[in-house]
Amino acid sequence: MAEVLVFVDHVDGAVRKPTLELLTLARRIGDPVAVALGNGAADTAAALAEHGAVKVLTHEAAEYADYLVVPKVDALQAAYDAVSPAAVLVPSSAEGKEIAARLALRIGSGIITDAVDLEAGDGGPVATQSVFAASYTTKSTISKGTPVITVKPNSAAVEPAAAAGAVEALNVSFSEQATGTKVTSRTARESTGRPDLTEAAIVVSGGRGVNGAENFSVIEALADSLGAAVGASRAAVDAGWYPHSNQVGQTGKSVSPQLYIASGISGAIQHRAGMQTSKTIVAINKDAEAPIFDLVDYGVVGDLFDVVPALTEEVKTRKG
Amino acid sequence: MSLRIVVTVKYVPDATGDRGFADDLTLDRDDVDGLLSELDEYAVEQALQISENSDDDVEITVLTVGPEDAKDALRKALSMGADKAIHVEDDDLHGTDAIGTSLVLAKAIEKAGYDLVVSGMASTDGTAGIVPALVAERLGVPQVTLLSEVAVADGKVTGRRDGDTASEQLEASLPAVVSVTDQSGEARYPSFKGIMAAKKKPVEAWDLSDLDIEAEEVGLEGAWTKVASADERPARTAGTIVKDEGEGGKQLAEFLAGQKFI
């Protein structure tokens, strides 16, 4: 079977969930060969082998942390040259898309970003995308070169499948451009103990109706009772009530959880663009005319400060 | 010293309208109004702020690749305060994808002359956010992308990039390609004076031959990707909506339990 390169997103050797989803999709079109770079790269091998990686190409160098994007492009290109894969798959993070795009240009290939599904086709992989704020679903193929495709989190279920996962050192020589953009300092995001927004199965979001930073504790309490991530609308973020890293929408994160609960969010196009592909959508809003109610599987017209705490209590009781 | 800034902007369909596809599965530009992509307004704003904070002589050129109407996007940027504009327009550009667009932009940026390229983080229609990185790759200059803060001094650009797991401070020497997020600072509204002044500012028109690009390298035929189908998402079946009369939280819990979320 043809080999498929899968770029590994990991933090010091801990593989992030979107990469494991990618391995599931990669197996539909070939044998996954994973590429893990930077600090802890070799530590990813066991998790990758359990999810179908026949081979894990690793390379550790300070450049990956010290400079932006290009060192990783150089390495992925080295892996591409070594393997001659049938496709290259990259997680659709901001950085992942930039890496994939630059690789595609270098190897003379087309690129598809933000795929939400992937299947084998006669003329190569067929990628499904959700466009125009999820109002359309498109299917696309690559017409030139080796398909380079980035895939959004939550696009496939993680399916374990044991494979060899043989670790091999990748030979990388960095290009002149590799050291162009220096990372002069890095501040790790403080952990909230909650799941990552884009990876979470349940997301609880607050908007303008939350009416103040201090009131977000009501949203957080519901999220914690459900083991959910917390999101915020652009209005809430612009007002300074919640960090931009939690913004759901066109200019923030795009999420596709099993359950999305919108509280005090009207559902403007900006927000819908980021959450419309959620499997089950629930909204709580005082305004019965709010456009969010057009999207919901279940909606409650009411004051979120009554409904959300009551729901939180009920969840706690039921979970015992 | 002088600093030449090129701001790349895109003319996009209004997201509040009914966006859709034409018969050839390219963007339908006929049935919906277009405007300057909101995310590019932040790029224009940052270019203006870099200019205002600089002791150098700064010239800001806005550049777009698009159909006749794309001039509207240039006018908006000029009325905000940019100095001049370049409009790359050619019938053969219809259906060009991101890889092709980056070729046209890179050639136009080189022809215009630049020390700094400023772009929005993504277009509001395609939303891929890869064009700034592609342009940097083609120009062979550093990419300093997705910045929520940006500054230029002493031939260097610095900025802050807020990622999923960390916030990074970046630094690169000019020339460089920068992209900015919607967190970089609210874009100004054009003043009446700005709108009047924009009418007198030069807009250069270039076509593919001006940029030594062959028609086969761009357009729908030259695209590196092919859209095989585009289907409107079926409308969601109307959900259950209840009015909270004291039991709303409980009823919602009942629904969530029924769906096995609790």
Side-chain angles (χ1 to χ4, degrees):
Chain A
M1 223 168 152
E3 292 181 309
V4 176
L5 273 191
V6 173
F7 186 85
V8 177
D9 185 8
H10 71 98
V11 179
D12 296 332
V15 180
R16 299 182 76 197
K17 188 164 143 260
T19 299
L20 301 178
E21 296 166 10
L22 214 50
L23 288 167
T24 302
L25 292 174
R27 295 203 304 273
R28 295 185 190 167
I29 51 178
D31 289 326
V33 174
V35 181
L37 306 172
N39 188 33
D43 299 339
T44 62
L48 298 170
E50 284 166 23
H51 293 86
V54 298
K55 211 190 294 180
V56 182
L57 304 175
T58 65
H59 188 243
E60 292 199 23
E63 279 84 349
Y64 298 119
D66 292 350
Y67 300 93
L68 193 70
V69 176
V70 187
K72 292 175 181 168
V73 182
D74 290 341
L76 193 54
Q77 188 177 14
Y80 171 85
D81 291 340
V83 171
S84 300
V88 182
L89 305 183
V90 181
S92 249
S93 62
E95 185 187 42
K97 288 197 281 190
E98 293 183 332
I99 292 168
R102 295 184 73 135
L103 175 78
L105 191 55
R106 287 185 185 185
I107 64 175
S109 295
I111 174 167
I112 293 172
T113 54
D114 294 324
V116 295
D117 199 8
L118 202 58
E119 59 208 319
D122 295 338
V126 179
T128 304
Q129 290 163 291
S130 181
V131 303
F132 296 151
S135 57
Y136 278 83
T137 302
T138 60
K139 287 186 186 290
S140 300
T141 54
I142 302 285
S143 29
K144 291 186 199 174
T146 303
V148 178
I149 300 170
T150 77
V151 180
K152 284 173 83 164
N154 281 326
S155 294
V158 173
E159 289 167 13
V167 178
E168 278 180 29
L170 181 65
N171 209 344
V172 181
S173 49
F174 292 116
S175 65
E176 219 173 286
Q177 273 77 41
T179 54
T181 308
K182 196 169 172 35
V183 179
T184 53
S185 74
R186 178 178 287 116
T187 314
R189 211 166 272 299
E190 243 176 81
S191 172
T192 58
R194 297 190 183 98
D196 181 89
L197 183 57
T198 52
E199 299 175 12
I202 303 178
V203 174
V204 180
S205 282
R208 199 186 297 276
V210 176
N211 203 23
E214 64 285 1
N215 299 335
F216 255 87
S217 57
V218 172
I219 305 297
E220 290 175 335
L222 174 58
D224 292 343
S225 75
L226 290 163
V230 175
S233 74
R234 182 167 170 179
V237 170
D238 282 353
W241 301 341
Y242 224 68
H244 181 248
S245 50
N246 295 71
Q247 185 178 318
V248 173
Q250 178 142 36
T251 58
K253 300 269 165 58
S254 163
V255 301
S256 199
Q258 296 297 320
L259 171 63
Y260 187 84
I261 303 180
S263 309
I265 292 176
S266 69
I269 183 83
Q270 213 288 133
H271 192 74
R272 296 215 306 266
M275 48 66 74
Q276 202 158 343
T277 53
S278 304
K279 311 294 178 291
T280 299
I281 298 175
V282 167
I284 300 145
N285 201 305
K286 271 199 284 202
D287 177 10
E289 304 297 319
I292 192 88
F293 286 122
D294 295 342
L295 301 179
V296 299
D297 297 283
Y298 198 93
V300 180
V301 178
D303 188 336
L304 76 90
F305 294 107
D306 295 331
V307 179
V308 173
L311 173 59
T312 307
E313 276 315 304
E314 195 63 26
V315 172
K316 282 187 189 160
T317 311
R318 283 173 189 251
K319 283 195 166 177
Chain B
M1 285 284 288
S2 76
L3 181 71
R4 296 163 300 169
I5 304 178
V6 176
V7 184
T8 61
V9 301
K10 190 175 183 188
Y11 179 72
V12 298
D14 187 347
T16 59
D18 283 328
R19 295 179 293 179
F21 289 87
D23 290 343
D24 64 357
L25 298 182
T26 64
L27 176 67
D28 179 0
R29 288 187 180 270
D30 292 335
D31 293 337
V32 60
D33 290 337
L35 43 77
L36 169 62
S37 174
E38 185 205 328
L39 292 169
D40 293 341
E41 292 184 11
Y42 296 95
V44 177
E45 176 62 36
Q46 287 309 308
L48 293 169
Q49 289 195 19
I50 288 165
S51 172
E52 286 158 5
N53 295 332
S54 176
D55 298 329
D56 297 337
D57 204 7
V58 181
E59 183 183 59
I60 301 173
T61 304
V62 280
L63 164 67
T64 198
V65 178
E68 168 70 25
D69 294 348
K71 280 197 178 55
D72 291 353
L74 295 175
R75 284 284 166 221
K76 173 84 183 276
L78 290 172
S79 64
M80 287 173 71
D83 299 303
K84 62 192 184 79
I86 297 168
H87 183 189
V88 182
E89 186 188 0
D90 198 305
D91 288 346
D92 289 325
L93 283 167
H94 175 78
T96 304
D97 64 5
I99 298 252
T101 300
S102 71
L103 171 69
V104 182
L105 286 173
K107 291 252 193 180
I109 289 163
E110 276 175 331
K111 186 177 159 81
Y114 74 102
D115 301 299
L116 180 69
V117 177
V118 186
S119 307
M121 59 182 278
S123 68
T124 55
D125 55 351
T127 69
I130 58 174
V131 168
L134 288 170
V135 168
E137 175 75 31
R138 287 195 187 269
L139 294 174
V141 303
Q143 69 161 83
V144 197
T145 46
L146 296 168
L147 302 182
S148 46
E149 275 172 16
V150 58
V152 174
D154 306 325
K156 284 196 161 86
V157 52
T158 52
R160 193 182 85 232
R161 172 168 163 133
D162 295 318
D164 280 350
T165 53
S167 180
E168 296 165 332
Q169 289 290 338
L170 305 176
E171 180 186 290
S173 296
L174 298 179
V177 173
V178 158
S179 78
V180 299
T181 73
D182 61 332
Q183 297 299 295
S184 58
E186 201 63 34
R188 68 194 65 187
Y189 287 105
S191 63
F192 178 71
K193 203 174 138 203
I195 293 166
M196 296 313 288
K199 296 185 177 175
K200 299 199 184 95
K201 289 177 180 173
V203 179
E204 281 192 61
W206 292 348
D207 62 15
L208 289 176
S209 66
D210 291 317
L211 300 175
D212 294 320
I213 297 171
E214 302 294 329
E216 310 84 80
E217 295 178 80
V218 294
L220 195 54
E221 291 304 311
W224 303 65
T225 49
K226 184 175 166 38
V227 180
S229 67
D231 296 304
E232 200 161 1
R233 193 184 166 88
R236 278 181 171 268
T237 43
T240 308
I241 296 180
V242 300
K243 193 170 179 335
D244 176 38
E245 277 157 353
E247 295 292 305
K250 246 192 177 126
Q251 289 167 289
L252 183 46
E254 198 62 44
F255 169 78
L256 295 179
Q259 302 284 316
K260 312 266 185 254
F261 286 117
I262 307 176

